[in-house]
């Protein structure tokens, strides 16, 4: 009887041990499966992150090499003149006087100058007495951030390609946003303003604006401004002489007209007589408008623009 009991006990023990071993094996298998799944998931995550990093790098490189940002070939606008073809000229070649203007389309002081002198300059150009060389720079982009100076300058160069520079130049200044507003950094805004110039909004012009065709040319123009060590924008030279920065004898439209007419031998009134003319609209070298009744950028506009108007390079 005892032998049967011992045998039964041994069988039970053997069965229990087998079950326990089976259970342990199952647990070990679960552990191995879990570890394997973890490794697979981890590898997948690493792969995804690696792919994301590669895609991000490709995207970054693509962005830095986009048409609007990369330093492409220097493409001067049609008819550009002067050293390195960095000037856009208005007026007639036979004019005795040459006005050189360094401007930034985001610069409030430049707008003040254009507001007060535009009509006088265009009148002298139309009479064949004056030719004007425009040099476009990008000071405000560097000082305030953004890309409006660059993109507006490129768009103006595109307008030159279409023979519409003067009209589009004036439209840009007439619609100039606040200095802190980089509205001209959006091609859509520049194309919208092109609609104000008859015949300018064409597929060729749009392509030129959107591709940044003249961006490198604008950058070279700004480099020439920095190398010239000019005091700021606007810088106004008449036959190579700075006529706009003399605080003791501020320029007026009447003085400019008299100087140009005198150079042409037109018997114009003297600059001193012009200066005493009643109701004359004068603009100081800081660009603020006096007595003209026309819009002025005020202390937060022209004065600040000129105080920042040193070449940032």
């Amino acid at each position: 009887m005892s032998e049967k009991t011992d045998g039964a006990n041994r069988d039970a023990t053997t069965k229990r041990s087998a079950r326990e071993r089976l259970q342990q094996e199952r647990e070990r298998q679960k552990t191995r499966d879990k570890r394997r799944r973890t490794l697979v998931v981890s590898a997948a995550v690493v792969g995804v992150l690696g792919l994301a990093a590669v895609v991000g790098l490709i995207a970054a490189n693509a962005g830095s090499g986009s048409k609007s940002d990369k330093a492409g070939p220097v493409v001067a606008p049609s008819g550009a003149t002067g050293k390195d073809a960095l000037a856009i000229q208005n007026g007639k070649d036979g004019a005795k006087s040459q006005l050189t203007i360094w401007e930034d389309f985001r610069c409030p002081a430049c707008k003040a100058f254009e507001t007060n002198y535009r009509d006088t300059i265009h009148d002298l150009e139309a009479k064949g007495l004056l030719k004007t060389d425009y040099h476009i720079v990008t000071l405000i982009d560097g000082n305030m951030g953004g890309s409006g100076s660059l993109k507006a300058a490129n768009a103006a160069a595109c307008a030159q390609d279409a023979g519409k520079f003067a009209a589009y130049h004036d439209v840009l200044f007439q619609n100039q946003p606040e200095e802190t507003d980089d509205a001209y950094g959006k091609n859509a805004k520049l194309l919208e303003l092109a609609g104000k110039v008859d015949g300018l909004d064409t597929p060729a012009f749009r392509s030129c604006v959107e591709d940044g065709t003249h961006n490198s040319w604008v950058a070279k123009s700004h480099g020439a401004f920095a190398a010239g060590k000019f005091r700021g924008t606007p810088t106004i030279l008449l036959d190579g002489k700075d006529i706009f920065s003399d605080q003791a004898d501020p320029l007026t439209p009447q003085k400019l007209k008299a100087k140009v007419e005198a150079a042409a031998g037109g018997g114009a009134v003297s600059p001193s007589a012009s200066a005493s003319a009643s109701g004359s609209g004068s603009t100081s070298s800081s660009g603020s408008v006096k007595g003209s009744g026309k819009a002025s950028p005020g202390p937060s506009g022209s004065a600040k623009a000129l105080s920042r108007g040193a070449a940032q390079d």
Side-chain angles (χ1 to χ4, degrees):
M1 186 71 178
S2 60
E3 292 180 358
K4 291 182 178 181
T5 301
D6 291 340
N9 289 337
R10 283 194 299 270
D11 291 342
T13 299
T14 300
K15 291 179 179 179
R16 184 168 59 251
S17 298
R19 285 197 300 271
E20 289 174 352
R21 286 194 300 272
L22 181 59
Q23 182 64 32
Q24 290 172 356
E25 181 60 29
R26 287 174 176 171
E27 292 297 329
R28 283 194 294 268
Q29 185 62 41
K30 287 181 180 179
T31 300
R32 287 194 295 268
D33 290 344
K34 183 176 181 180
R35 186 181 302 115
R36 186 166 54 252
R37 286 196 299 271
T38 300
L39 290 173
V40 170
V41 171
S42 298
V45 170
V46 170
V48 170
L49 292 177
L51 179 60
V54 172
V55 171
L57 181 60
I58 292 172
N61 289 336
S64 63
S66 66
K67 290 182 178 180
S68 60
D69 297 329
K70 70 179 180 181
V74 176
V75 180
S78 176
T81 187
K83 183 180 179 181
D84 295 330
L86 294 178
I88 294 177
Q89 190 172 94
N90 282 339
K92 300 176 181 179
D93 289 338
K96 291 291 183 67
S97 295
Q98 180 170 330
L99 191 68
T100 302
I101 302 177
W102 295 84
E103 291 182 314
D104 183 324
F105 286 110
R106 289 181 68 187
C107 165
C110 299
K111 178 179 180 179
F113 173 81
E114 287 295 336
T115 298
N116 286 276
Y117 289 82
R118 180 186 302 116
D119 291 345
T120 299
I121 291 171
H122 287 339
D123 181 61
L124 292 170
E125 289 171 343
K127 291 178 178 178
L129 303 178
L130 181 70
K131 57 185 176 183
T132 306
D133 282 356
Y134 290 94
H135 295 262
I136 312 302
V137 300
T138 58
L139 283 177
I140 305 302
D141 283 358
N143 293 332
M144 303 296 294
S147 60
S149 298
L150 170 63
K151 290 191 175 183
N154 172 67
C158 295
Q160 170 67 11
D161 290 339
K164 305 283 184 179
F165 172 82
Y168 190 61
H169 164 277
D170 292 351
V171 165
L172 287 175
F173 277 116
Q174 289 164 352
N175 292 273
Q176 184 188 80
E178 292 294 323
E179 187 179 12
T180 54
D181 179 3
D182 192 32
Y184 285 173
K186 299 179 177 62
N187 288 333
K189 181 64 177 178
L190 298 170
L191 294 173
E192 173 192 330
L193 292 176
K196 296 179 178 290
V197 178
D198 289 344
L200 179 57
D201 189 4
T202 64
F205 174 78
R206 284 178 169 265
S207 177
C208 183
V209 170
E210 292 168 350
D211 291 347
T213 298
H214 300 296
N215 281 358
S216 292
W217 176 83
V218 175
K220 190 170 184 178
S221 176
H222 181 82
F225 176 81
K229 301 186 184 303
F230 297 110
R231 58 181 174 74
T233 53
T235 289
I236 313 299
L237 310 175
L238 181 62
D239 297 322
K241 181 182 178 181
D242 189 340
I243 60 172
F244 196 62
S245 61
D246 188 354
Q247 295 281 1
D249 184 23
L251 185 69
T252 68
Q254 289 75 20
K255 285 183 181 180
L256 175 61
K257 182 174 183 289
K259 289 176 182 292
V260 172
E261 288 179 339
V269 295
S270 67
S272 58
S274 297
S276 63
S278 61
S280 64
S282 66
T283 303
S284 72
S285 61
S286 66
S288 58
V289 183
K290 299 178 181 178
S292 67
K294 295 181 180 181
S296 165
S300 64
S302 60
K304 287 185 179 180
L306 285 171
S307 69
R308 285 194 298 274
Q312 60 224 32
D313 299 338

